[in-house]
Amino acid sequence: MIMVTGGAGFIGANFVLSWLMSPNAEGIVNLDKLTYAGNLANLETLEKDARHTFVHGDIGDKLLVAQLLEEYRPRAIVNFAAESHVDRSIYGPADFIQTNIVGTFNLLECTREYWGNLLGDEKRQFRFHHVSTDEVYGSLSASDHAFRETNPYEPNSPYSASKAASDHLVRAWFHTYGMPVVTTNCSNNYGPYHFPEKLIPLVILNALDGKPLPVYGDGQQIRDWLYVGDHCSAIREVLANGRLGETYNIGGWNEKANLEVVNTICKILDELKPRADKKSYTEQITFVKDRPGHDRRYAIDASKIEKELGWRPAETFDTGIRKTVEWYLDNPTWVKGVVTGSYRDWLDKQYRN
Ligand code: NAD
Ligand code: DAU
């Protein structure tokens, strides 16, 4: 079996669900702390699937992680567990340091002990896959080439600095201890089960709720959007065939300004769920105060993973965003479950002014 951490969050849950779609898939032990972003409803369809074992716990808990490794003896670990929201890292970086840096350190140390005691093929085949972000490379100007794996690390937010630190730890555990690691640095994901603190699900749900659609600054910041299913297929490919100690950038070749993304969502909603007054949802767009230290542009050059492993995304932005809007319209129960009191408190704190 394999161990997944953070598998009740957005990307982790999509990964677990897509992995187990294959009838011959190895089982998964899924360790997740269930922070505000972890949601067992994402895994509801697996309730009766004996191949999935959920463990409620922290990657920073040494005893627990060591015990799980001994008990389940995974042949690979895929580390999704993290604090992931840039705006929250600006309000309170402590959890980001704790989970993203100290937690990853603990996971690496427990894995080193476990892997060190494996023998023969088990030892040779073992993999530690660290899931990271393009934000570690900092911000691009309009004319810069997209991020390559060789770009220097220049993180600008507490979130990206903590992810950069974790990437460095993973790299060091390869070079110093020979641990069999691979790291992937991915661009902005979107799709089903995305927690609505992030731009795309926030805009979909606010639009349907008749609320303002908050666009930071001038809305011309650029992100490179990737449908979450494509991120999961890339991780499977790197886990199976990636070269040890390497990093692979993953992206959608889909650079879009935020305002364009918001307008596209409004257009799809105008078609699928028109407002009662027949006006466009674009009427709800509201420019708000910019994010401090807001990175202007991210773009991924994903040619290494394509050349070495033959991976390319299957979805375009047009197909992926339509599927995503449809998913939110089709899943009101899931939406109701995540829009809790603590979520409303966050919206109030972040968008009050
Ligand atoms: P998320 O916030 O939706 O989910 C994170 C999950 O990790 C949650 O289920 C949470 O409960 C769990 N978790 C947090 N702290 C933990 C701890 N100490 N121990 C165990 N579990 C813990 O995040 P996501 O968007 O699914 O991102 C997953 C990973 O992918 C992160 O490492 C993130 O940095 C990376 N990433 C995200 C994106 C994106 O666009 N969302 C893009 C590139 C990389
Ligand atoms: O690039 C990969 C990263 O993408 C991941 O590592 C992060 O975990 C993930 O959260 C995401 O980070 P961003 O900060 O780019 O995502 P977010 O959805 O928060 O914001 C996307 C863009 O939209 C960004 O330029 C900020 C802007 N924005 C966001 C929100 C929440 C707005 O204009 N208004 C908003 O209300």
Side-chain angles (χ1 to χ4, degrees), residues 4 45 53-54 72 80 102 150 154 158 177 199 201 206 213 225 263 308 317:
V4 163
T45 53
T53 305
F54 183 79
Y72 292 98
F80 293 95
V102 181
T150 48
E154 292 174 350
Y177 303 114
L199 179 71
N206 275 16
L213 310 181
W225 294 96
N263 273 308
E308 277 192 24
F317 188 69

Side-chain angles (χ1 to χ4, degrees), residues 8 14 19 65-66 80 140 159 173 199 251 260 275 328 340:
N14 275 284
W19 181 274
V65 175
F80 293 95
L140 295 167
Y159 162 69
W173 263 239
L199 179 71
E260 188 187 345
R275 275 177 31 161
Y328 280 88
T340 59

Side-chain angles (χ1 to χ4, degrees), residues 84 133-135 159 188 199 214 216 223 258 291 294 351:
S84 71
T133 170
D134 61 356
E135 300 203 10
Y159 162 69
N188 285 63
L199 179 71
Y216 295 164
R223 297 293 182 264
N258 292 337
R291 171 186 281 174
H294 198 169
Y351 299 101

Side-chain angles (χ1 to χ4, degrees), residues 5-14 30-39 42 54-61 79-85 95 98-100 103 130-135 159 163 166 184-190 193-195 197-198 225-226 228 231 235 250:
T5 70
F10 164 48
I11 305 173
N14 275 284
N30 182 352
L31 172 63
D32 195 297
K33 188 177 172 184
L34 295 179
T35 66
Y36 77 92
N39 183 0
N42 300 352
F54 183 79
V55 180
H56 183 194
D58 192 326
I59 57 166
D61 181 339
N79 181 30
F80 293 95
E83 290 292 337
S84 71
H85 191 34
D95 287 346
Q98 203 52 43
T99 284
N100 300 0
H130 181 58
V131 179
S132 191
T133 170
D134 61 356
E135 300 203 10
Y159 162 69
K163 290 296 289 186
S166 68
T184 46
N185 294 88
C186 189
S187 61
N188 285 63
N189 285 215
Y190 66 100
Y193 305 110
H194 205 180
F195 190 74
E197 63 187 353
K198 310 280 170 67
W225 294 96
L226 179 72
V228 64
H231 188 185
I235 291 172
I250 305 172

Side-chain angles (χ1 to χ4, degrees), residues 256-268:
K256 304 269 176 219
N258 292 337
L259 193 55
E260 188 187 345
V261 170
V262 175
N263 273 308
T264 304
I265 294 170
C266 289
K267 241 172 85 186
I268 298 173

